[in-house]
Structures are given as structure tokens and as C-alpha cells.
Amino acid sequence: QGQLIESGGGLVQTGDSLRLSCVASGSTFGNWNMGWFRQPKGKESEFVAGISRDNVGTRYADSVKGRFTISRDNAKNTLYLQMNDLKPEDSADYYCAADPQLNDRVPVAGELYEYWGQGTRVTVSS
């Protein structure tokens, strides 16, 4: 089973930037489609961004387009989320997730991801 560990969250001010990281165990990371989800306090989880296993296709939620960038370094088994121009509504627990499907895809539905990290908290003050 895959193990994912997120890091990089913290307390920042409106307009600041953060970069989240997700390190995957094992040697199969390069064959996984990957995604980021977030869950604001008291609300449901939502899709943020995804990237295909071949590092070509990406998708973003409308709320983060132009501000967030997802990327991956397969040699380091690491997924990244660069977050710029942060807003209070970005405050949430952020989770990385892995889709072991062999075909290239970027699912937005959480049930299509098999492995999940423990989460890292992002708080943006106004």
C-alpha cells in the first residue's frame, strides 16, 4: 500500500505564498496519477489540482486557477503544490492523494483516488 506524507503548511497573511510537498514511499510513484484536495473547517472536502502520471496533463479548480501550480519530481517521489496570492478562503487542511490507475487521467472525484496522506494545515489571515 502507498504511504503519502504532506508538509509545508503554516500560518500566513493574505497575498503570501506557500509550497506544499507530498513524499510517497515505494518505487511506484512515477506510475501514479496524483491530486491535491482540501477541506476547510466545517465544510466538505473539495478537489484543488491534479496531475497525470506522465507529467503532462493537469487540472485545477476554478477557485485556484492562475494562483496555484501543481508539479511532480518522480526522481524524488515528490508531489508539489505552489500556492501564490493566498486568500482567507484558501484556509483548509490539504491532502495529497494517489490514483494507481495505469492509464493517464486526472480525476476530480475523491473516490477515484486510492491512497491519501495525513494532511497539512494552511491558515491565511485577513
Side-chain angles (χ1 to χ4, degrees), residues 7-8 15-22 36 48-49 60 64-72 79-86 90 94:
S7 63
D16 285 352
S17 297
L18 282 174
R19 184 162 79 160
L20 306 182
S21 298
C22 172
W36 287 98
V48 177
Y60 296 92
V64 306
K65 287 181 179 177
R67 298 188 297 119
F68 290 11
T69 302
I70 188 172
S71 62
R72 65 193 298 164
L79 177 75
Y80 301 99
L81 183 67
Q82 178 66 45
M83 305 185 295
N84 296 328
D85 191 24
L86 284 163
D90 295 318
Y94 283 72

mmCIF file of all heavy atoms in Angstrom, residues 7-8 15-22 36 48-49 60 64-72 79-86 90 94:
data_model
loop_
_atom_site.group_PDB
_atom_site.id
_atom_site.type_symbol
_atom_site.label_atom_id
_atom_site.label_comp_id
_atom_site.label_asym_id
_atom_site.label_seq_id
_atom_site.Cartn_x
_atom_site.Cartn_y
_atom_site.Cartn_z
ATOM 1 N N SER A 7 3.746 18.066 3.804
ATOM 2 C CA SER A 7 4.407 19.047 4.644
ATOM 3 C C SER A 7 4.332 20.408 3.956
ATOM 4 O O SER A 7 3.978 20.504 2.785
ATOM 5 C CB SER A 7 5.864 18.666 4.919
ATOM 6 O OG SER A 7 6.614 18.641 3.718
ATOM 7 N N GLY A 8 4.667 21.470 4.692
ATOM 8 C CA GLY A 8 4.740 22.796 4.118
ATOM 9 C C GLY A 8 3.635 23.749 4.510
ATOM 10 O O GLY A 8 3.684 24.928 4.146
ATOM 11 N N GLY A 15 -2.155 37.253 0.497
ATOM 12 C CA GLY A 15 -1.190 37.639 -0.509
ATOM 13 C C GLY A 15 0.132 36.900 -0.444
ATOM 14 O O GLY A 15 0.930 36.992 -1.379
ATOM 15 N N ASP A 16 0.380 36.161 0.631
ATOM 16 C CA ASP A 16 1.621 35.401 0.779
ATOM 17 C C ASP A 16 1.595 34.136 -0.075
ATOM 18 O O ASP A 16 0.580 33.789 -0.681
ATOM 19 C CB ASP A 16 1.845 35.032 2.241
ATOM 20 C CG ASP A 16 2.317 36.200 3.085
ATOM 21 O OD1 ASP A 16 2.625 37.261 2.521
ATOM 22 O OD2 ASP A 16 2.375 36.043 4.317
ATOM 23 N N SER A 17 2.728 33.432 -0.092
ATOM 24 C CA SER A 17 2.868 32.194 -0.848
ATOM 25 C C SER A 17 3.353 31.060 0.044
ATOM 26 O O SER A 17 4.050 31.284 1.024
ATOM 27 C CB SER A 17 3.861 32.377 -2.004
ATOM 28 O OG SER A 17 3.414 33.338 -2.934
ATOM 29 N N LEU A 18 2.980 29.840 -0.317
ATOM 30 C CA LEU A 18 3.451 28.627 0.334
ATOM 31 C C LEU A 18 3.655 27.552 -0.727
ATOM 32 O O LEU A 18 2.994 27.573 -1.765
ATOM 33 C CB LEU A 18 2.447 28.107 1.363
ATOM 34 C CG LEU A 18 2.357 28.781 2.729
ATOM 35 C CD1 LEU A 18 1.186 28.186 3.505
ATOM 36 C CD2 LEU A 18 3.646 28.610 3.505
ATOM 37 N N ARG A 19 4.559 26.617 -0.452
ATOM 38 C CA ARG A 19 4.695 25.446 -1.309
ATOM 39 C C ARG A 19 4.540 24.190 -0.468
ATOM 40 O O ARG A 19 5.326 23.946 0.452
ATOM 41 C CB ARG A 19 6.031 25.402 -2.047
ATOM 42 C CG ARG A 19 6.088 24.202 -3.023
ATOM 43 C CD ARG A 19 7.158 24.316 -4.065
ATOM 44 N NE ARG A 19 8.477 23.987 -3.569
ATOM 45 C CZ ARG A 19 9.495 23.639 -4.348
ATOM 46 N NH1 ARG A 19 9.327 23.583 -5.672
ATOM 47 N NH2 ARG A 19 10.672 23.380 -3.807
ATOM 48 N N LEU A 20 3.529 23.398 -0.784
ATOM 49 C CA LEU A 20 3.286 22.140 -0.115
ATOM 50 C C LEU A 20 4.028 21.016 -0.824
ATOM 51 O O LEU A 20 4.184 21.036 -2.041
ATOM 52 C CB LEU A 20 1.793 21.811 -0.082
ATOM 53 C CG LEU A 20 0.854 22.878 0.502
ATOM 54 C CD1 LEU A 20 -0.577 22.355 0.501
ATOM 55 C CD2 LEU A 20 1.293 23.286 1.893
ATOM 56 N N SER A 21 4.481 20.026 -0.052
ATOM 57 C CA SER A 21 5.152 18.860 -0.600
ATOM 58 C C SER A 21 4.460 17.596 -0.124
ATOM 59 O O SER A 21 3.894 17.560 0.968
ATOM 60 C CB SER A 21 6.622 18.817 -0.173
ATOM 61 O OG SER A 21 7.329 19.938 -0.650
ATOM 62 N N CYS A 22 4.529 16.564 -0.941
ATOM 63 C CA CYS A 22 3.969 15.263 -0.606
ATOM 64 C C CYS A 22 4.963 14.209 -1.051
ATOM 65 O O CYS A 22 5.199 14.053 -2.256
ATOM 66 C CB CYS A 22 2.613 15.070 -1.290
ATOM 67 S SG CYS A 22 1.907 13.415 -1.136
ATOM 68 N N TRP A 36 -4.344 16.948 -5.351
ATOM 69 C CA TRP A 36 -4.454 17.663 -4.087
ATOM 70 C C TRP A 36 -5.922 17.966 -3.813
ATOM 71 O O TRP A 36 -6.644 18.438 -4.698
ATOM 72 C CB TRP A 36 -3.675 18.984 -4.109
ATOM 73 C CG TRP A 36 -2.189 18.846 -4.043
ATOM 74 C CD1 TRP A 36 -1.311 18.885 -5.074
ATOM 75 C CD2 TRP A 36 -1.399 18.678 -2.860
ATOM 76 N NE1 TRP A 36 -0.022 18.746 -4.624
ATOM 77 C CE2 TRP A 36 -0.047 18.616 -3.262
ATOM 78 C CE3 TRP A 36 -1.694 18.577 -1.499
ATOM 79 C CZ2 TRP A 36 1.009 18.457 -2.355
ATOM 80 C CZ3 TRP A 36 -0.653 18.410 -0.601
ATOM 81 C CH2 TRP A 36 0.673 18.358 -1.031
ATOM 82 N N VAL A 48 -8.658 20.293 -5.592
ATOM 83 C CA VAL A 48 -7.864 21.501 -5.800
ATOM 84 C C VAL A 48 -7.107 21.437 -7.118
ATOM 85 O O VAL A 48 -7.221 22.337 -7.956
ATOM 86 C CB VAL A 48 -6.872 21.733 -4.647
ATOM 87 C CG1 VAL A 48 -5.996 22.959 -4.930
ATOM 88 C CG2 VAL A 48 -7.616 21.897 -3.329
ATOM 89 N N ALA A 49 -6.308 20.386 -7.315
ATOM 90 C CA ALA A 49 -5.491 20.258 -8.517
ATOM 91 C C ALA A 49 -5.077 18.812 -8.701
ATOM 92 O O ALA A 49 -4.993 18.050 -7.740
ATOM 93 C CB ALA A 49 -4.247 21.152 -8.432
ATOM 94 N N TYR A 60 -7.218 22.075 -12.599
ATOM 95 C CA TYR A 60 -7.324 22.928 -11.434
ATOM 96 C C TYR A 60 -8.772 23.300 -11.163
ATOM 97 O O TYR A 60 -9.571 23.461 -12.090
ATOM 98 C CB TYR A 60 -6.538 24.226 -11.628
ATOM 99 C CG TYR A 60 -5.046 24.037 -11.771
ATOM 100 C CD1 TYR A 60 -4.463 23.882 -13.019
ATOM 101 C CD2 TYR A 60 -4.226 24.027 -10.645
ATOM 102 C CE1 TYR A 60 -3.095 23.707 -13.148
ATOM 103 C CE2 TYR A 60 -2.859 23.856 -10.768
ATOM 104 C CZ TYR A 60 -2.304 23.697 -12.025
ATOM 105 O OH TYR A 60 -0.945 23.526 -12.147
ATOM 106 N N VAL A 64 -8.754 28.297 -7.856
ATOM 107 C CA VAL A 64 -7.306 28.427 -7.689
ATOM 108 C C VAL A 64 -6.574 28.638 -9.006
ATOM 109 O O VAL A 64 -5.347 28.823 -8.997
ATOM 110 C CB VAL A 64 -6.713 27.208 -6.959
ATOM 111 C CG1 VAL A 64 -7.435 26.975 -5.642
ATOM 112 C CG2 VAL A 64 -6.772 25.964 -7.833
ATOM 113 N N LYS A 65 -7.268 28.631 -10.134
ATOM 114 C CA LYS A 65 -6.623 28.824 -11.429
ATOM 115 C C LYS A 65 -5.895 30.167 -11.477
ATOM 116 O O LYS A 65 -6.434 31.187 -11.079
ATOM 117 C CB LYS A 65 -7.654 28.755 -12.556
ATOM 118 C CG LYS A 65 -8.179 27.365 -12.841
ATOM 119 C CD LYS A 65 -9.184 27.375 -13.986
ATOM 120 C CE LYS A 65 -9.703 25.980 -14.288
ATOM 121 N NZ LYS A 65 -10.727 25.983 -15.358
ATOM 122 N N GLY A 66 -4.660 30.132 -11.972
ATOM 123 C CA GLY A 66 -3.850 31.334 -12.053
ATOM 124 C C GLY A 66 -3.072 31.647 -10.803
ATOM 125 O O GLY A 66 -2.194 32.519 -10.828
ATOM 126 N N ARG A 67 -3.369 30.971 -9.695
ATOM 127 C CA ARG A 67 -2.677 31.209 -8.430
ATOM 128 C C ARG A 67 -1.887 29.982 -7.954
ATOM 129 O O ARG A 67 -0.817 30.142 -7.363
ATOM 130 C CB ARG A 67 -3.663 31.607 -7.336
ATOM 131 C CG ARG A 67 -4.414 32.904 -7.635
ATOM 132 C CD ARG A 67 -5.234 33.365 -6.432
ATOM 133 N NE ARG A 67 -6.273 32.395 -6.075
ATOM 134 C CZ ARG A 67 -6.341 31.770 -4.905
ATOM 135 N NH1 ARG A 67 -5.438 32.018 -3.963
ATOM 136 N NH2 ARG A 67 -7.327 30.916 -4.662
ATOM 137 N N PHE A 68 -2.410 28.778 -8.187
ATOM 138 C CA PHE A 68 -1.775 27.541 -7.730
ATOM 139 C C PHE A 68 -1.166 26.798 -8.916
ATOM 140 O O PHE A 68 -1.708 26.827 -10.030
ATOM 141 C CB PHE A 68 -2.786 26.613 -7.053
ATOM 142 C CG PHE A 68 -3.293 27.088 -5.717
ATOM 143 C CD1 PHE A 68 -3.045 28.367 -5.253
ATOM 144 C CD2 PHE A 68 -4.033 26.222 -4.923
ATOM 145 C CE1 PHE A 68 -3.518 28.800 -4.026
ATOM 146 C CE2 PHE A 68 -4.513 26.633 -3.693
ATOM 147 C CZ PHE A 68 -4.257 27.925 -3.237
ATOM 148 N N THR A 69 -0.049 26.091 -8.679
ATOM 149 C CA THR A 69 0.594 25.275 -9.696
ATOM 150 C C THR A 69 0.973 23.928 -9.102
ATOM 151 O O THR A 69 1.680 23.870 -8.094
ATOM 152 C CB THR A 69 1.850 25.949 -10.254
ATOM 153 O OG1 THR A 69 1.519 27.227 -10.803
ATOM 154 C CG2 THR A 69 2.464 25.092 -11.361
ATOM 155 N N ILE A 70 0.514 22.847 -9.734
ATOM 156 C CA ILE A 70 0.865 21.503 -9.294
ATOM 157 C C ILE A 70 2.023 20.990 -10.150
ATOM 158 O O ILE A 70 2.084 21.252 -11.352
ATOM 159 C CB ILE A 70 -0.350 20.554 -9.379
ATOM 160 C CG1 ILE A 70 -0.033 19.203 -8.735
ATOM 161 C CG2 ILE A 70 -0.823 20.379 -10.813
ATOM 162 C CD1 ILE A 70 -1.249 18.293 -8.609
ATOM 163 N N SER A 71 2.953 20.271 -9.530
ATOM 164 C CA SER A 71 4.089 19.706 -10.245
ATOM 165 C C SER A 71 4.569 18.456 -9.520
ATOM 166 O O SER A 71 4.141 18.172 -8.394
ATOM 167 C CB SER A 71 5.228 20.725 -10.377
ATOM 168 O OG SER A 71 5.712 21.116 -9.104
ATOM 169 N N ARG A 72 5.461 17.714 -10.167
ATOM 170 C CA ARG A 72 5.990 16.500 -9.548
ATOM 171 C C ARG A 72 7.426 16.269 -9.965
ATOM 172 O O ARG A 72 7.857 16.676 -11.048
ATOM 173 C CB ARG A 72 5.126 15.287 -9.926
ATOM 174 C CG ARG A 72 5.135 14.941 -11.412
ATOM 175 C CD ARG A 72 4.022 13.946 -11.761
ATOM 176 N NE ARG A 72 4.188 12.682 -11.062
ATOM 177 C CZ ARG A 72 3.234 11.763 -10.935
ATOM 178 N NH1 ARG A 72 2.026 11.981 -11.457
ATOM 179 N NH2 ARG A 72 3.477 10.637 -10.283
ATOM 180 N N LEU A 79 5.436 15.157 -4.846
ATOM 181 C CA LEU A 79 4.420 15.994 -5.470
ATOM 182 C C LEU A 79 4.442 17.361 -4.798
ATOM 183 O O LEU A 79 4.614 17.449 -3.578
ATOM 184 C CB LEU A 79 3.046 15.349 -5.308
ATOM 185 C CG LEU A 79 1.839 16.120 -5.828
ATOM 186 C CD1 LEU A 79 1.790 16.052 -7.346
ATOM 187 C CD2 LEU A 79 0.554 15.565 -5.219
ATOM 188 N N TYR A 80 4.238 18.434 -5.571
ATOM 189 C CA TYR A 80 4.269 19.791 -5.039
ATOM 190 C C TYR A 80 2.985 20.540 -5.378
ATOM 191 O O TYR A 80 2.318 20.251 -6.373
ATOM 192 C CB TYR A 80 5.441 20.589 -5.613
ATOM 193 C CG TYR A 80 6.799 19.986 -5.352
ATOM 194 C CD1 TYR A 80 7.446 19.242 -6.328
ATOM 195 C CD2 TYR A 80 7.442 20.178 -4.135
ATOM 196 C CE1 TYR A 80 8.693 18.696 -6.104
ATOM 197 C CE2 TYR A 80 8.690 19.634 -3.890
ATOM 198 C CZ TYR A 80 9.308 18.896 -4.882
ATOM 199 O OH TYR A 80 10.555 18.356 -4.644
ATOM 200 N N LEU A 81 2.662 21.523 -4.538
ATOM 201 C CA LEU A 81 1.608 22.481 -4.835
ATOM 202 C C LEU A 81 2.121 23.862 -4.461
ATOM 203 O O LEU A 81 2.228 24.186 -3.274
ATOM 204 C CB LEU A 81 0.319 22.161 -4.074
ATOM 205 C CG LEU A 81 -0.866 23.074 -4.392
ATOM 206 C CD1 LEU A 81 -1.329 22.857 -5.830
ATOM 207 C CD2 LEU A 81 -2.021 22.847 -3.422
ATOM 208 N N GLN A 82 2.466 24.663 -5.469
ATOM 209 C CA GLN A 82 2.879 26.040 -5.249
ATOM 210 C C GLN A 82 1.634 26.908 -5.164
ATOM 211 O O GLN A 82 0.834 26.939 -6.103
ATOM 212 C CB GLN A 82 3.778 26.520 -6.387
ATOM 213 C CG GLN A 82 4.224 27.973 -6.272
ATOM 214 C CD GLN A 82 5.126 28.219 -5.087
ATOM 215 O OE1 GLN A 82 6.049 27.446 -4.845
ATOM 216 N NE2 GLN A 82 4.865 29.283 -4.336
ATOM 217 N N MET A 83 1.463 27.616 -4.057
ATOM 218 C CA MET A 83 0.283 28.431 -3.813
ATOM 219 C C MET A 83 0.707 29.886 -3.687
ATOM 220 O O MET A 83 1.440 30.248 -2.763
ATOM 221 C CB MET A 83 -0.443 27.973 -2.545
ATOM 222 C CG MET A 83 -0.821 26.498 -2.550
ATOM 223 S SD MET A 83 -1.796 26.020 -1.104
ATOM 224 C CE MET A 83 -0.578 26.293 0.187
ATOM 225 N N ASN A 84 0.252 30.727 -4.620
ATOM 226 C CA ASN A 84 0.565 32.150 -4.621
ATOM 227 C C ASN A 84 -0.695 32.973 -4.380
ATOM 228 O O ASN A 84 -1.809 32.507 -4.616
ATOM 229 C CB ASN A 84 1.194 32.561 -5.949
ATOM 230 C CG ASN A 84 2.520 31.895 -6.213
ATOM 231 O OD1 ASN A 84 3.275 31.599 -5.295
ATOM 232 N ND2 ASN A 84 2.825 31.670 -7.492
ATOM 233 N N ASP A 85 -0.502 34.215 -3.935
ATOM 234 C CA ASP A 85 -1.618 35.137 -3.702
ATOM 235 C C ASP A 85 -2.704 34.473 -2.852
ATOM 236 O O ASP A 85 -3.883 34.465 -3.209
ATOM 237 C CB ASP A 85 -2.193 35.617 -5.031
ATOM 238 C CG ASP A 85 -3.165 36.774 -4.876
ATOM 239 O OD1 ASP A 85 -3.068 37.504 -3.872
ATOM 240 O OD2 ASP A 85 -4.012 36.955 -5.773
ATOM 241 N N LEU A 86 -2.307 33.941 -1.718
ATOM 242 C CA LEU A 86 -3.239 33.215 -0.859
ATOM 243 C C LEU A 86 -4.310 34.131 -0.294
ATOM 244 O O LEU A 86 -4.058 35.304 0.005
ATOM 245 C CB LEU A 86 -2.484 32.531 0.273
ATOM 246 C CG LEU A 86 -1.730 31.266 -0.155
ATOM 247 C CD1 LEU A 86 -0.687 30.882 0.874
ATOM 248 C CD2 LEU A 86 -2.709 30.118 -0.373
ATOM 249 N N ASP A 90 -8.721 30.168 1.193
ATOM 250 C CA ASP A 90 -7.836 29.034 0.942
ATOM 251 C C ASP A 90 -7.503 28.269 2.219
ATOM 252 O O ASP A 90 -6.892 27.196 2.144
ATOM 253 C CB ASP A 90 -6.533 29.492 0.290
ATOM 254 C CG ASP A 90 -6.740 30.084 -1.089
ATOM 255 O OD1 ASP A 90 -7.545 29.528 -1.868
ATOM 256 O OD2 ASP A 90 -6.085 31.100 -1.399
ATOM 257 N N TYR A 94 -4.977 20.423 3.798
ATOM 258 C CA TYR A 94 -4.672 19.993 2.440
ATOM 259 C C TYR A 94 -4.146 18.560 2.437
ATOM 260 O O TYR A 94 -3.269 18.207 3.229
ATOM 261 C CB TYR A 94 -3.638 20.914 1.802
ATOM 262 C CG TYR A 94 -4.216 22.238 1.344
ATOM 263 C CD1 TYR A 94 -4.601 23.201 2.262
ATOM 264 C CD2 TYR A 94 -4.381 22.514 -0.016
ATOM 265 C CE1 TYR A 94 -5.149 24.408 1.853
ATOM 266 C CE2 TYR A 94 -4.919 23.716 -0.433
ATOM 267 C CZ TYR A 94 -5.305 24.659 0.499
ATOM 268 O OH TYR A 94 -5.841 25.858 0.086
#
